[in-house]
Amino acid sequence: MDKNIFMELLAKREFKAVRSILNVMNAVDIASLLSELQDKELAQAFRLIPKEKAAEVFANMGNTMQGDLIDLFTEKELKEVLNDMFMDDTVDLLEDLPANVVTRILEAVGPEKRAQINKLLNYPEDSVGSIMTTEYVDLRKWMTVKQAMNHIRQVGIHKETIYTCYVLEARRLIGIVTAKDLMTADDETQIEELMEKEIISIKTHDDQEEAARLFSRYDLLALPVLDLDECMVGIVTVDDAMDVVVDEATEDMTLMAAINPSEDTYFETSVIQHAKNRIPWLLILMLSAAVTGAIITRYEEAFAAIPILVSFIPMLMDTGGNCGSQSSTLVIRGIALGEIEFKDLFRVMFKEFRISLIVGATLAVANGLRILIQYRNPSLALVIAVSLVATIIIAKMIGCVLPLLAKKVHLDPAIMASPLITTLVDTCSILVYFHIATLIFHLSL
């Protein structure tokens, strides 16, 4: 839809045409289109969205736009939107809004929904309980297919998904039945005969990343959530799992770039906040880099005798940093996908050691030949070649070990990515280089 045409129709108050356009558009596209409007136009356009689609459009809006709309809603409009929203979307909304707005929302919903919201809000942040919804279809094993289908027709409109139904007995999950099973079975067949008893489930206090991994591994549409007593309390749907993947990937990317994560988008985050997110890590890395400078100063007099050695420092530091980043990136990815665990530490180290020998030997030969041709100095070529091999081995060991250690002590492995590893490798590479040079050239400190 052309935004200018839409804006023109809205400005001319041709509401019938605007409503027709909104009626055929996807909820996600409507939310994107409305993000371009000012407050007055936003409220006007939102009121023209078909009632059955309004809650879905609202759920797909950004936090700022949702807050603006809530301020413009009447109590009746707010109640209508909230009643049509799924529970997990409502909880996500409340987590990101100011306390006074949250209070207004809780007052607008009914007592039953308010109790469910408060229960979900009490689960730890980043836990499965915090992203689950309590709106699922539950069946009993003694039901026939006909009874089950009638039950779904009655309650399904209020549930987030009807494609997977859950068979409960005394609140305990004993089986799963899909909509396909129900639609292709005979009306008199009992649910007990159809249900799948091998169930993939997750606990309320498990990390939400684990839920995302289960979705990826088993190609699920929904994942049942059990409490500590093994009773079913909700489900996580695939759209929530996708949100987790996006959020965690964004957080990892920012940490790997030495930036404190932010939940707001790039343009929604103020300049001051952007600076605050970046300065702490930059200060830490800058001060830690001072150690490298102190090491260079210590060897300054000894290397005054052979000034050309100093010109190879950037190449060694960059190569070490790049090698460490390669290893850490692959290990962090392996941890995120569940392929690598702390118990695999020595397997990973041995593999990276063998890789570093091949990489180091290749780069050492290439640089050694270049230096021999350019400077005709075998001793210099030997210093650089040996330093390269040692630096690459150290860099790859640091790059693979630090993320696993971070995971072991319950830190985000992404913290141990490029900037921090590069700084550590820089210090180690300078120490190794100067030590090898003093030995081969017989320099005194």
Side-chain angles (χ1 to χ4, degrees), residues 3-4 18 41 60 71 146 155 304 410 438:
K3 184 188 78 171
N4 294 327
V18 172
E41 297 167 331
N60 281 285
D71 290 337
K146 185 176 182 179
V155 304
H410 307 293
T438 54

Side-chain angles (χ1 to χ4, degrees), residues 34 56 220 363:
L34 266 54
E56 188 180 356
L220 303 172
L363 297 185

Side-chain angles (χ1 to χ4, degrees), residues 63-64 96 250 261-270 273-274:
N63 299 336
T64 303
D96 298 315
T250 302
S262 173
E263 292 184 359
D264 294 328
T265 64
Y266 178 85
F267 287 111
E268 287 179 347
T269 306
S270 67
Q273 190 58 49
H274 270 301

